Amino acid sequence: MDREVHQLMEMASQCFTQARAALRRYKDVMQAAERFFDGEFANIEETDGDVSMEPATPVALITPSRTPRTATPDEDGDSEDNNDVDMDDNEDEVDDYVDYDSDYEHKARTVVEADPYAGEYTFDRREEVIEVEEEPETAFMPETNEQLKLMTQGQWMKGCPEGGEQGFLFGLYNELSSGDCPCPQACGHKVQRSKSDFFAIFPEFLLYIQHLRRVVKRTCPSCKVDFCFACGEPINATSNRDPSSSGDDTLFHCSNLQGVILGMGLAMLESTFAEQRQQPSEESSQKTKTNKRRKTDLHSSSSTPKGDDDDDDNYYMSLPVGKKSKGGIGYAGEVKEDTSGQLEAQTAQRLKDEKIGTILSQIREYLPSLRREGGARTSDYMVHPTALAHLRRRFNYLCTTLLRNDSLSDMSDRSVLYFELFEWLETISNHEALASMMAMPIMVVASVKSVAPKKVAKGKAPIRERTIIYEGSAGPRELLEAIVIQAQAAIKGLEGIKTPDPEVVEMTEEQKRMTSSAKGKERESTPSLSDENQKLLSFCRRILATANAIDRSLRETKGDAFVDRLHAALPKISSEPFDHSSITIGTTDEARKKSYVNWATQVRFEYCDLTVPREEDKKGAIEESMPHYKFYFNSEARMLSSSDIPKRSLAIAKELAVLTTNLPVAWDSSVFLRVDEDRVDIIKALIIGPEGTPYQDGCFLFDIFLGPAYNQSPPSVKYMTTNGGKYRFNPNLYADGKVCLSLLGTWSGPGWVSGKSTLLQVLISIQSMILCEEPYLNEPGWGNDGGTPQSKQYSANVRRMVVKTAMLGNLRNPPEPFGDVIRTHYRLKSQVIIAQLDRWLTMDDGKSTVGDSFSTRHDAGGSSNGFKKDVEEMQQLLRQLQEGTFKVDK
């Protein structure tokens, strides 16, 4: 019983004796808490004669909408106090409130921080929460002239709890939905509160505000004093801080109003947003039934089990998970794109965004803000403890959905919604009471499972339960940083090609006068950005301005240490050298994989200098001509050095924005890109061979050039890992570097869709469709020969070439600029690759390596094919990488 008493003391009473007495009578924590707020135990005082209890460790709140998280070591069975709270076994005598707490006797979590939002945050949290749904009551509301549902306690407290939030939420709901509000002059006049006063769910937020304006300000008929129905305190008629405002300051009177307005408003917003997101899914599922060729794996259907009474499980939206559909990737699909209805869809999306943006704007007025126009109000200073709870639980759902958008172009088109989102983030970071949220992990729904309804008293509606699994994910500021990276990349693309800065020479007075008179003409001759380019550029600059404003506010409200710790965890794209040696090898399989993925995520996209160092002339001066590039398409790049093609710049800007944060990264296979810091059309890609293929863990280099017609036409791609033009690794990868792919126009079949296809599609196509499990089948006419001796022989030959060139050759002489990436890849996976090479050696057929599997030309090697020697040398280098004795050739 000790645990229940501590819970009740945290929720409602600071008096141990009162809490113990309440639990003896009502047995259930929630029911006892309600009776506390009714004043039933106010006459009981703390006495010395009562049985003492060890205060020991404070215990986390456990309510019908929360499951405890971890077990305490000393809870291992029944205690004597449990006899005090035994429920009667008779199912016909079930109390109105079910004893949910008794189900979790061994799972209480200790809470030691006074400030639940202070300190560092753990992002790999996983919380199991039981949320309760009751049948909502209804009430007639004159504002709509109809019956409206009233928010239940379970709806009000929905979400993943943090610290002592549940007690504050419970207290505010109980205070504003029941009991009396007495006149502050103690004249004896009282006004009865009901749920319909503050918890009616209106179809529009402004109707709710209109309703509150009608009910909040009350006048005592006896002493004529105006008082607030939410807090019971007098309302000062001169409290309006903004005389020019046509509105009323009543709703800013107290923190209670702030808490309930934010809670109800954000609940309406969340519900509207969830409904909008479900509509396309429902339409898609309808189409899926009639079109069997197009199958879509909706995460909501797999993570949200359906039951007979489970109609609205889809309300708990989780982030997209699982693999993307293979249809269309790399080969532009099997059918032509159907653009019918595209304009209608865009119009519909715009209307949805305007609706959500409008609701956000309306609710934002009631966010605590010390920078409010006309001066801060009472509730701006006295922030209710539930304000942050509502933001974390409800606003973050919308925030994480919008900020995870990987299309900067789509965000720009929906700027009416995103600009309002940015306003919210800036307002939150401006207030010390809310700013912590910017660094806190967003708890997203991972799965939802219905639980059998609890039995209740006869005549009562059954109480439905759901077990919700919440998982920690990136916080708002971290999610914003991913968009910042995209915006910076897009701006770099929109800036076009940078030409070398001319040497600064001191001008004569005559030259200065001539330059001054020509400034206007030069300005006129400078080509201006197109409207579409300018729109994207402005949107990108707004993103950067928002991030800077948030960081500036956080430094003012939370201090430099808070911001520095936050920034240390943010994703980064930099041209500065990355310290690959700082990445350590994990001691377990799981730790090794986690370490590898974290490293690969940090280095998958970087800007670097891809130019050939310029030579000095006889006088020691640096050559001033256009630079050359360490790049197959050097000539084409130099020819395009001074071109400014707005459409191409826009396409490259959008492409870079996507590539910065969406390159595939996994233990099994990853893609790394290096982009020239001044010429963003010059790109090098390194693809790690996928697991389960003869290319596994080989490093394959490609040079990519985004030509003058990009993206109306595909990029130019050259395969560079050919052992000096000797090895053809795949029917689609020629020894001369040609990449045979319909998407690139180098093979028959559905090709590049002008203005739609992307470089990311090309990279994923090569990774998954060319570097495949059985490459023999890629040859036209051999598609049905899977598993044949010829196919197995082909794969064995590929493995020998991979070890010799894509592994050993690249580790000995790594291609620029991927030396550190290749060495770290092999160091972190050394143990696994050593075992992999042993397996490959046993699978080898002993035949000589054939540079082109379709020819009779063989490598020199006598009676041995040299494979064992290559494997042993590669394994030796891998062990050197493990031990730190590997020497890099300078």
Side-chain angles (χ1 to χ4, degrees), residues 19 84 98 117 136 180-181 274 291 369 452 489 533 588 636 668 740 786 812 884:
D84 296 329
V98 181
Y117 309 117
D180 297 327
C181 179
N291 184 2
S369 175
N533 289 27
T588 64
E636 292 88 335
D668 299 341
C740 199
R812 281 197 199 126

Side-chain angles (χ1 to χ4, degrees), residues 493 497 533 640 643-659 673 680-683 704-717 743-744 752-763:
I497 307 304
N533 289 27
L640 211 60
S643 301
D644 183 12
I645 308 172
K647 241 181 181 179
R648 173 178 180 260
S649 298
L650 180 63
I652 293 176
K654 293 178 178 179
E655 190 79 70
L656 289 176
V658 172
L659 291 170
L673 280 197
V680 291
D681 53 348
I682 296 176
I683 301 172
I704 303 167
F705 180 58
L706 308 181
Y710 189 80
N711 68 348
Q712 301 303 306
S713 60
S716 301
V717 180
L743 190 58
L744 296 176
W752 186 267
V753 179
S754 177
K756 297 290 184 182
S757 297
T758 66
L759 176 57
L760 184 60
Q761 282 181 300
V762 173
L763 294 171

Side-chain angles (χ1 to χ4, degrees), residues 66 69 116-117 125 160-166 392-393 440:
R66 177 176 183 179
R69 303 175 189 173
Y117 309 117
R125 289 170 54 195
C160 186
E162 187 78 44
E165 288 178 349
Q166 296 294 73
R392 278 200 329 100
R393 300 178 185 210
M440 294 175 69

Side-chain angles (χ1 to χ4, degrees), residues 861-881:
S863 58
S864 171
N865 61 11
F867 187 48
K868 182 177 181 181
K869 179 183 176 183
D870 290 340
V871 165
E872 290 175 346
E873 185 175 352
M874 184 65 192
Q875 289 177 329
Q876 182 182 1
L877 295 180
L878 290 170
R879 292 188 180 95
Q880 291 176 5
L881 286 169

Side-chain angles (χ1 to χ4, degrees), residues 221-234:
S222 301
C223 52
K224 308 302 181 185
V225 172
D226 292 335
F227 64 95
C228 173
F229 193 41
C231 67
E233 297 296 326

Side-chain angles (χ1 to χ4, degrees), residues 23 32 96 175 209 298 365 375 389 410 412 462 465 563 572 645 676 729 745 747 758 780 823 844 856 873:
L23 282 171
D96 292 351
E175 180 181 357
I209 293 299
L298 294 179
E365 182 182 352
D410 178 66
S412 176
E465 292 183 354
V563 177
K572 298 174 181 66
I645 308 172
D676 186 77
F729 279 83
W747 183 249
T758 66
R823 284 187 291 271
D844 190 57
T856 57
E873 185 175 352

Side-chain angles (χ1 to χ4, degrees), residues 120 134 180 212 236-237 317 648 680 700 849 865 887 890:
E120 298 186 15
E134 311 152 73
D180 297 327
L212 289 185
N236 186 353
M317 308 292 278
R648 173 178 180 260
V680 291
F700 303 92
T849 303
N865 61 11
K887 294 182 179 180
K890 300 295 184 183

